[in-house]
Amino acid sequence: MEKNVINRRHFLGTGFRGLAIMGISAAAGSSLLSSCSSRKAVVSPTGMSFDQKPLPYAYNALEDVIDATTMEIHYTKHAAGYAKNLKEAAAAEGVPTTTTTEQLLNQISKYSTKMRNNAGGHFNHELFWQSMRPKRNNNNPDGELMNALNAAFNSFETFKLQFANAASSRFGSGWAWLYVAPDKSLKIGSTPNQDNPLMDLSDIKGYPLLGLDVWEHAYYLKYQNKRADYISNWWQVVNWDFVQSRYNAFK
Ligand code: MN3
């Protein structure tokens, strides 16, 4: 048992340094790792701590797409709970505080279910808050990201239809994703519970650009059973500049 803990510590501490010693940059290491084995998750170029960042807008800023009460409860109760429980699990299972959430997710199969649920929950929500902004009409991406979406899905409208379908057909609780697959292509998919494409045990693997929370706690106060209405309204508050910045960071 103790040996496993030491091995995990050793790996987490030296994963990226090991690549540096081999003369491989983190970005190149990412492609190297992802091409080595389909079991390996995609290594993220960004790093997220285990702490919640302040919400980048007021609780009522996304009205009337997401109501203020839902935002407040979602951020201060649900998401805060994932961060707290992640830190508890990390302390109990010997994960150094310098580890990023992404590094942990890349090898989440080595840890407890509590770690999986809460590391996933923390990452997913931190990404979710950043990927929204106050509502805009004709809220579309532009430039490089728009070109990439058009190329991958034939049109932006088709992309939105396929993404909405992934979100509405996820049975029970989970997330819909736009992500960059290991072969660098843009993909749409969904994951159950708080799983995400960075997890080594996920059925879909890649670098998430955009995620939509379809747990009932994300929409039930305002939309009740009408998940499809929540999804179609949500496009008005997507922060495409943020999505573009993640796309740039990955490349
Ligand atoms: Mn949620």
Side-chain angles (χ1 to χ4, degrees):
M1 185 61 183
E2 182 55 25
K3 186 162 177 282
N4 286 341
V5 169
I6 290 167
N7 283 344
R8 284 203 299 257
R9 280 184 175 141
H10 179 76
F11 183 86
L12 284 167
T14 55
F16 281 97
R17 214 178 328 137
L19 291 175
I21 288 164
M22 288 157 66
I24 297 167
S25 72
S30 164
S31 352
L32 180 75
L33 287 175
S34 59
S35 62
C36 281
S37 157
S38 61
R39 286 275 304 155
K40 284 275 199 296
V42 173
V43 175
S44 172
T46 54
M48 183 191 290
S49 82
F50 297 166
D51 293 309
Q52 264 191 308
K53 282 210 268 192
L55 200 64
Y57 34 72
Y59 296 130
N60 66 358
L62 307 184
E63 298 263 13
D64 53 347
V65 173
I66 299 178
D67 61 283
T69 307
T70 296
M71 276 304 300
E72 182 167 2
I73 295 172
H74 202 175
Y75 178 82
T76 64
K77 305 295 182 195
H78 295 277
Y82 296 123
K84 175 176 171 287
N85 292 327
L86 166 58
K87 281 185 265 190
E88 273 179 23
E93 297 177 44
V95 176
T97 51
T98 49
T99 305
T100 67
T101 308
E102 289 88 340
Q103 286 172 317
L104 186 55
L105 294 170
N106 287 169
Q107 49 185 313
I108 202 69
S109 63
K110 297 177 181 162
Y111 297 94
S112 66
T113 302
K114 176 173 177 173
M115 190 84 84
R116 173 179 179 173
N117 290 340
N118 291 288
H122 176 60
F123 176 89
N124 296 348
H125 287 86
E126 289 286 291
L127 185 74
F128 189 52
W129 311 136
Q130 299 293 325
S131 68
M132 296 187 289
R133 64 186 173 195
K135 145 176 167 177
R136 297 183 182 185
N137 293 324
N138 302 315
N139 185 29
N140 299 331
D142 52 23
E144 207 178 351
L145 181 61
M146 186 59 133
N147 293 340
L149 289 169
N150 281 325
F153 303 102
N154 291 320
S155 72
F156 182 59
E157 289 309 310
T158 309
F159 155 72
K160 287 207 294 183
L161 276 174
Q162 290 182 14
F163 187 97
N165 185 50
S168 59
S169 63
R170 165 49 55 191
F171 183 75
S173 299
W175 292 74
W177 301 102
L178 169 67
Y179 63 100
V180 188
D183 67 0
K184 303 281 196 285
S185 64
L186 288 175
K187 290 258 166 50
I188 289 167
S190 79
T191 51
N193 305 316
Q194 295 295 353
D195 287 358
N196 67 48
L198 288 173
M199 291 181 171
D200 59 353
L201 43 61
S202 175
D203 288 340
I204 57 168
K205 286 193 186 64
Y207 178 71
L209 299 181
L210 178 66
L212 174 59
D213 188 345
V214 294
W215 282 58
E216 285 185 346
H217 68 229
Y219 63 87
Y220 211 85
L221 284 180
K222 179 177 168 66
Y223 296 92
Q224 290 86 48
N225 58 317
K226 297 187 278 290
R227 187 192 281 187
D229 291 355
Y230 160 64
I231 297 165
S232 63
N233 280 347
W234 178 71
W235 294 115
Q236 300 171 88
V237 296
V238 171
N239 185 343
W240 288 112
D241 294 332
F242 176 75
V243 181
Q244 175 78 63
S245 74
R246 284 188 68 81
Y247 189 48
N248 294 346
F250 184 81
K251 294 192 308 172

